[in-house]
């Protein structure tokens, strides 16, 4: 039971980090496509 309770914050942290990284990746792709279009 203790290991399960310890896994919950780790899982939440991983999910938050993954969603932030995904969002950042999408933003970078958008910026790059706009940069290429404006050239």
């Amino acid at each position: 039971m203790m290991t399960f309770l310890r896994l919950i914050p780790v899982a939440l942290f991983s999910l938050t980090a993954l969603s932030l990284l995904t969002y950042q990746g999408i933003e970078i792709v958008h910026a790059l496509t706009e940069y290429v279009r404006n050239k």
Side-chain angles (χ1 to χ4, degrees):
M1 190 65 193
M2 278 307 289
T3 40
F4 182 68
L5 284 173
R6 231 176 270 159
L7 275 173
I8 294 170
V10 176
L12 282 172
F13 179 75
S14 303
L15 278 171
T16 315
L18 271 172
S19 57
L20 280 172
L21 277 171
T22 314
Y23 178 75
Q24 212 169 11
I26 292 167
E27 288 294 305
I28 290 168
V29 170
H30 275 282
L32 280 173
T33 46
E34 246 174 70
Y35 176 75
V36 170
R37 277 195 201 139
N38 291 344
K39 245 189 166 179

